[in-house]
Amino acid sequence: MKTLSPLNSSNPCLLKTHFLKVPIFNPIFKFKPLPHNTHHARIAKVPSFTMNSKLKSSQDINNTGKKSVSQKIVLSETSPPPLAVDKDGINGGSGSESVPVSSKKKGGVSGLAKKLSKKVLQILSNLSLAIGEMFTIAALMALGTVIEQGEAPDFYFKNYPEDHPVLGFFTWRWVLTLGFDHMFTSPVFIGMLALLGASLMACTYTTQIPLVKVSRRWAFLHSAEAIRKQEFSDTLTRASIEDVGTLLMGAGYEVFLKGPCLYAFQGLAGRLAPIGVHISLLLIMVGGTLSAAGSFKGSVTVPQGLNFVVGDVLGPTGFLSTPTEAFNTEIHVNRFYMDYFESGEVSQFHTDLSLLDMDGKEVMRKTISVNDPLRYGGITIYQTDWSISALQILKDNEGPYNLAMAPLQINGDKKLFGTFLPVGDINSPDVKGISMLARDLQSIVLYDKEGKFAGVRRPNSKLPINIDGSEIVILDAIGSSGLDLKTDPGVPTVYAGFGALMLTTCISYLSHSQIWAIQDGTSVIIGGKTNRAKMEFPEEMNRLLDKVPEIVESSSSQQVDTITSG
Amino acid sequence: MIFSTLEHILTHISFSVVSIVISTHLITLLVNEILGFHDLSKNGMIISFFCITGLLITRWILSGHLPFSDLYESLIFLSWGFSIFHIVFCFKKHKNDLSAIIAPSVIFTQGFATSGVLIEIHQSAILVPALQSHWLMMHVSMMIFGYAALLCGSLLSVGILVITFGEVIQILGKSNNLYFLNESFSFVEIQYMNRNERNNVLQKTFFSSSRNYYRSQFIQQLDRWSYRIISLGFLFLTIGILSGAVWANEAWGSYWNWDPKETWTFITWTIFAIYLHTRKNTKFESVNSSIAASLGFLIIWICYLGINLLGIGLHSYGSFTSN
């Protein structure tokens, strides 16, 4: 009488694993064979974490003789991997054995320091603390946008007076002592950011990195009961576990089959990517600190045709700022010009720059515009602004005279520049003259000495205009270029952090799904869970399981289902 | 000339179609469920999607640059983002549940944009020099998709809060029903057991609490949808912020200026990071995170519209007063 038991099923090689697919993580999938009773400790209890690592190392020494730590996931004929699911069990007996061992090794003072640092680490990696910190930082930032930044103390005396304070208690004393007038560089804010950085580091060290080890350890479930307890579970009568395995492989899972048990997972990167997110945030913080402490900034408005030396313009921002050789470069503005739309609005402004070194030799020449800066020797020159510096005119064929233009205040964003050519006696208190206004370098509007509109001239036309008996020819409108210069040593770090953050945030959107299955007689019990895509998972599983072929036995006498486990 | 009339026609078509869709949803909700309406609402949303797409393309052709330059265009883009999300989820899930939330969002954003408030910005404007960059495409589109997704997700969370607290108030009122439960599971705890445990628990209870079961199932679904959409939105927001920072470095010389708009976007990012982290603590995951997401809803509107309306800072070309 043949009894069908799971061990004698169609699989002849019961103890050898079927190596179905090479996982991408293979090279780092160091499969360490661990003894049976080593559960992975829950990392909230930091002391047991460190003891666990010591425990592993001593066990490693014992185990080197036993089996080969191979790169491929092929098991040999000896004992299987740990059977227990890696849940939140605390290392019980084996952990407590090593407590007296490890405590003996520690000295007095260093032991105290270590305990203190463990305690601090434990506090810092608390999630609620981190959430509180983030919330505080958000609130401080919001406050920083509401309160005017960077004004003189007088402003705060006026707007947050003590006799009728805002919200009943908020006076200028609060603002100035806490540094809210320069919120984003104030000690309170920087301190909160530093605390958040410390929390990030602590959390990454204590919680996330061990997560890598946990999630890499795959463990089979050997009881149908355990599988039925999963979030999604199903039973397929008359199916074979190899078919399930093949289908899962086709769906992109990595499948491991050992005897009647199957384990498959997908999207492991989605579980590990948050570590990358935290590390890239730390990188950005480091880069930002470097930028704030070690860069040079400056801005200058240079009329066309003049030069300036880089070192005269740049000023340091922090204590790490050190000037470089490139600061001796002299910059010559060859030409400044603007492009216009058909409606007359400014479309783009350009500056043709030559860089000359100390010997006067030209080392670089480039035309810059907005969104197109010049980079040389770590210094970056941006085109940010423009103005008109002077008008070159001929009066009664005498000249050329350069009349300096001054900016005039009008509402809105537009610019207006004006200049004045006196007519008659200059020393009289009531001197009148010809006014010339310009919105851009294209056209100049002229007014006579009564203030009446006289005409419009374009600088290149060389057309004379007769006002109050004088003949004016506008030769040229000389613009000046507004340039911002900067060196920033933190930029490569910050850019690296940005790129890493974008990438790891994308990857952490993936969902880590795990599936276990057991062949029980002719039926397959399958169960699985996922950490993010909880909505789509059951549907995806159902679709997959619909495709599993049903095994119809030709001789139906052996349909005694010996269900061994409840 | 043709393009501008085409633009007008498309605006009006999409507006009317979406209002029809909303009316059908209201009728379904208040009066009676008429089966033909499901298809009608689905097709209606598809039509409005194509209309808005056409609208954006005509504006693009008309003005010669991508339709991102001011508040009106970005609002139209936002409603386009909403309809894209609706289409994607509609086809993936073969269900129209989200349409009830997304359709009113589409119509409100588009209505606000088209309304008389912004009438002077309807004409497509030229791009100022600072905006003439390839980064414009990536930064603004990512930000607006991010806002659209986060708004959807936070609306779902607001829904969760409304249902949860409505139920709690009801349960407190009818507290004698709870004595029938063999084990004293609180309503909130019922949601966090997995499917099998919940089946076991609720099989032991009386029929009167089966309504609680369906409601808790619904809340769980909303919760999971909200989580998924907000994660996607967070991803887009992150990419948008970072590309904006890189662009700022290329254009203005520094990647972070504590500009009001930048600061508020960072605040939004922080709030949604808080949302994602409150879900780690599984005890009260849905309620706490819903509170965070609802806060996020308000903050997105402050960030998107409030700053632009104030017209301060480096982002002032999105405001009214700059014209």
Side-chain angles (χ1 to χ4, degrees), chain A residues 228 230 291 375 382 486 495, chain B residues 132 196 249-251 253 255:
Chain A
R228 287 209 189 93
Q230 297 298 324
S291 289
R375 286 180 225 271
Y382 300 87
K486 212 184 67 137
Y495 274 17
Chain B
Q132 291 170 12
N196 297 324
N249 200 22
E250 297 298 308
Y255 45 82

Side-chain angles (χ1 to χ4, degrees), chain A residues 127 134 141-142 145 184 228 230 291 341 345 347 371 375 382 486 494-495 498 506 509 532 534-535 539, chain B residues 93 126 129-130 132-133 196 224 227-228 235 242 247 249-251 253 255 258 264 266-267 270 277:
Chain A
L127 186 64
M134 288 198 274
M141 288 198 280
T145 54
F184 301 109
R228 287 209 189 93
Q230 297 298 324
S291 289
F341 288 111
E345 311 265 348
S347 110
N371 280 318
R375 286 180 225 271
Y382 300 87
K486 212 184 67 137
V494 171
Y495 274 17
F498 280 172
C506 275
Y509 186 67
R532 290 193 221 280
K534 297 202 179 172
M535 302 299 297
E539 285 176 20
Chain B
K93 286 283 292 175
I126 48 165
Q132 291 170 12
S133 164
N196 297 324
R224 288 175 176 174
Y227 177 56
R228 211 61 180 137
L235 171 65
L242 296 180
W247 185 14
N249 200 22
E250 297 298 308
Y255 45 82
W258 296 112
W264 276 98
F266 193 36
I267 294 177
T270 308
H277 282 87

Side-chain angles (χ1 to χ4, degrees), chain B residues 174-183 206:
Chain B
K174 306 181 191 169
S175 55
N176 33 351
N177 279 346
L178 289 178
Y179 289 121
F180 290 130
L181 291 173
N182 289 341
E183 296 161 272
F206 273 82

Side-chain angles (χ1 to χ4, degrees), chain A residues 6-7 9 11 13-18 20 75 80-81 83 218-224 227 240-242 244-245 248 255-264 515-520 523-526 565:
Chain A
L7 288 178
S9 60
N11 184 5
C13 346
L14 27 111
L15 287 176
K16 226 197 287 179
T17 49
H18 291 255
L20 290 171
L75 280 189
L83 304 175
W218 41 275
F220 293 106
L221 285 182
H222 280 249
S223 74
I227 291 185
S240 116
I241 205 165
E242 281 95 358
V244 175
L248 285 175
V255 183
F256 307 102
L257 196 58
K258 182 182 75 83
C261 309
L262 174 142
Y263 173 68
I515 297 178
W516 291 272
I518 263 191
Q519 176 96 50
D520 201 357
S523 51
V524 171
I525 305 168
I526 191 163
S565 54

Side-chain angles (χ1 to χ4, degrees), chain A residues 5 175 207 334:
Chain A
S5 73
V175 174
T207 314
N334 296 317

